[in-house]
Amino acid sequence: MTSEFRDQLYIGGQWVPPDSSERIEVENPYTEQVLGHVPAGTAADVDLAVSAARRAFEGWAATPAAERGAALSRFHQALAARADEIARTVGLELGTPLKVAKAVQAGLPLTVLSGYAELAARPAAEETIGNSLVVHEPAGVVGAITPWNYPLHQVVAKVGAALAAGCTVVLKPSELTPLVAYLLLDAAHESGLPAGVLNLVTGTGPVVGAAIAGHPDVDLVSFTGSTATGRAISRAAADRIAKVSLELGGKSANVILEDADVVKAVKVGVGNAFLNSGQTCTAWTRMLVHRSHYDEAVELAAKTAAGYTVGDPFDPATRLGPLVSAAQRDRVRGFIERAGARLVAGGLDAPVPATGHFVAPTVFADVDPDSELAQEEVFGPVLSIIGFDDDDEAVAIANNSKYGLAGGVWGSTDRAVAVARRLRTGAVDVNGGSFNPFAPFGGYKQSGIGRELGAYGLAEFQQVKAIQR
Ligand code: NAD
């Protein structure tokens, strides 16, 4: 088992000492004890990592597809050997219940990386347009900045795609959950990934993140996190006209039409809203229900929420762990306090374990679609239920959001797909259609710019060149 106390950064194919002796402590959000630490990197560390990535770029970009695919395949194998450790680490640093941690926090990034190993092995597409040969080339040195809620998946969605495209990467994981990224770099090192192709600098957003976003030699910044930080990163990159791709927040609607299977729609909808304690950017946090089913849906959602077992992430019975930090818990409690809607489950007075950053699974009915609760991303286990009279009203309420990341629609298939087409959002699941890790993922409006996952995700890390003959 590896240590949670990490004192080095990974730059140029080696574990190296950081510029500063300052460290960032990592808290276990269930025990509220210090779990480990990582270096607080500096701009000087970022400089070294960007130089290493630049030096490695030409060679990695020119590596034949089959060889690059084989390298990523070895990387995937080394990571897969750590699957249990990944789930355990995310359980410790984020508090995700172990079962979900195994399936989603470890399983999903492994699937995504193996998909990118396959895509990397295919030569980049070329086409002829008139007298032009159009080729796709790696975009260059990538800065990858990621959040804490799916700490390995969000990293792999960027790193896998960027490396498959032939880019080199400087990665900064979230300072709240940096430990699982060390397992990724352990796997990269063990698998013999060429020096400088993937580099790790841990640290805070304002220091390391800002240094990456503003670095003159970073060609593309790929960011997942809050809309506010996405804005700051876009501004920093704008000064040098660097390409930016952003995966930001969401306030997704789960639309339950008149002819839906209401019981299934509500149960799946509540599960979706509370996945990872509601700390999921795609969470269906607004449940929109046709008036003919409204009371039944409210009752069922309240009952489902009340049935959640809240507690120790490592207890197999637990379905809802703590939130990532005290700050996040207090932020979520603030939304509940100001909700101004009818509380039907959970709330501030519902019992939760005395230790750990818990918020009880909470459901509000009769939520005003324009209220703070219906408009702002809560990022906790809080579901808002809103009624509607017909499909047009459902679409209008669903689209009444500055975000547009995900969503669900339930009803007879043709009708549900017709509604899905009208939603201004990057993904919609009809009647519980399952998440597809190879389909494009990303947002409309303030949910982001660009797409991740699969071939669309890889294309984000390419430039297109026209050669006239
Ligand atoms: P955050 O924006 O605070 O932090 C994300 C990352 O940005 C962290 O690594 C942080 O250190 C870094 N950062 C902070 N300030 C920075 C700055 N000035 N310059 C450069 N980097 C900086 O977000 P978070 O709290 O870690 O994550 C939660 C948010 O992420 C939620 O809003 C959620 O919806 C969003 N999210 C979106 C997606 C998606 O794919 N669309 C996925 C997961 C999370």
Side-chain angles (χ1 to χ4, degrees):
M1 204 175 284
T2 50
S3 166
E4 275 83 39
F5 293 84
R6 299 283 197 148
D7 294 308
Q8 293 176 307
L9 304 173
Y10 192 80
I11 297 176
Q14 305 175 53
W15 290 106
V16 297
D19 170 45
S20 150
S21 57
E22 257 185 73
R23 290 164 173 165
I24 296 173
E25 287 186 338
V26 183
E27 187 200 21
N28 176 328
Y30 174 62
T31 62
E32 301 185 30
Q33 303 295 311
V34 173
L35 160 70
H37 64 227
V38 297
T42 65
D45 295 316
V46 171
D47 271 342
L48 285 179
V50 172
S51 300
R54 178 57 63 192
R55 282 194 303 278
F57 175 64
E58 214 175 303
W60 183 245
T63 301
E67 229 177 278
R68 208 147 68 204
L72 287 189
S73 203
R74 288 191 295 275
F75 185 14
H76 169 257
Q77 280 162 21
L79 192 66
R82 292 167 168 78
D84 288 344
E85 213 177 334
I86 290 167
R88 180 183 153 274
T89 302
V90 179
L92 288 171
E93 63 183 346
L94 178 59
T96 305
L98 197 57
K99 197 171 151 202
V100 181
K102 280 188 175 162
V104 184
Q105 302 282 15
L108 181 56
L110 285 169
T111 303
V112 170
L113 189 56
S114 106
Y116 276 123
E118 267 177 45
L119 283 178
R122 294 184 207 158
E126 298 191 348
E127 65 178 314
T128 300
I129 301 177
N131 68 324
S132 302
L133 172 68
V134 178
V135 297
H136 295 86
E137 298 183 337
V141 171
V142 168
I145 303 173
T146 56
W148 45 263
N149 54 333
Y150 290 90
L152 184 61
H153 169 65
Q154 286 146 339
V155 164
V156 166
K158 299 182 186 319
V159 166
L163 298 189
C167 296
T168 56
V169 178
V170 175
L171 166 67
K172 189 207 94 65
S174 168
E175 55 272 49
L176 291 177
T177 56
L179 296 172
V180 73
Y182 277 84
L183 299 179
L184 183 77
L185 272 295
D186 286 341
H189 189 72
E190 184 186 289
S191 73
L193 203 64
V197 163
L198 178 58
N199 307 275
L200 172 74
V201 182
T202 49
T204 65
V207 176
V208 174
I212 291 173
H215 201 289
D217 212 18
V218 169
D219 297 297
L220 188 160
V221 184
S222 177
F223 170 76
T224 299
S226 63
T227 300
T229 306
R231 227 172 254 128
I233 284 175
S234 295
R235 282 195 197 103
D239 277 344
R240 61 181 194 287
I241 320 289
K243 193 174 168 190
V244 171
S245 59
L246 306 171
E247 299 291 346
L248 308 174
K251 191 76 203 179
S252 298
N254 180 28
V255 181
I256 304 176
L257 299 172
E258 194 176 0
D259 55 359
D261 175 344
V262 181
V263 173
K264 190 167 172 206
V266 171
K267 282 193 174 158
V268 173
V270 171
N272 179 300
F274 294 163
L275 179 67
N276 206 28
S277 294
Q279 303 166 121
T280 300
C281 49
T282 53
W284 299 342
T285 49
R286 295 180 296 153
M287 182 180 280
L288 313 190
V289 188
H290 188 266
R291 293 264 174 226
S292 61
H293 303 300
Y294 190 77
D295 292 342
E296 182 192 355
V298 169
E299 198 179 314
L300 187 56
K303 208 171 128 200
T304 309
Y308 267 68
T309 308
V310 178
D312 180 354
F314 287 87
D315 180 339
T318 296
R319 284 199 64 197
L320 199 101
L323 298 184
V324 69
S325 64
Q328 186 67 13
R329 179 204 53 206
D330 293 345
R331 198 174 156 267
V332 173
R333 286 176 65 90
F335 280 108
I336 296 175
E337 215 166 275
R338 297 187 298 274
R342 179 160 63 100
L343 180 71
V344 295
L348 297 181
D349 300 328
V352 286
T355 308
H357 306 309
F358 287 96
V359 170
T362 295
V363 181
F364 285 102
D366 309 345
V367 175
D368 174 351
D370 292 319
S371 65
E372 181 196 56
L373 188 63
Q375 290 292 324
E376 298 301 325
E377 185 176 52
V378 174
F379 237 53
V382 182
L383 175 67
S384 299
I385 308 185
I386 301 169
F388 65 83
D389 287 315
D390 57 30
D391 294 7
D392 287 347
E393 195 191 1
V395 170
I397 297 172
N399 287 339
N400 172 19
S401 173
K402 64 187 170 198
Y403 296 115
L405 188 58
V409 184
W410 301 78
S412 55
T413 309
D414 289 353
R415 185 172 175 178
V417 170
V419 169
R421 286 177 183 274
R422 296 172 67 191
L423 300 186
R424 303 279 301 156
T425 178
V428 187
D429 303 342
V430 167
N431 292 327
S434 59
F435 178 72
N436 179 354
F438 306 109
F441 175 89
Y444 285 29
K445 300 189 261 183
Q446 290 188 28
S447 288
I449 297 174
R451 292 294 177 269
E452 291 199 312
L453 301 180
Y456 283 87
L458 190 150
E460 287 289 326
F461 295 98
Q462 290 177 324
Q463 283 282 15
V464 184
K465 179 183 282 173
I467 302 170
Q468 284 61 245
R469 296 162 292 180

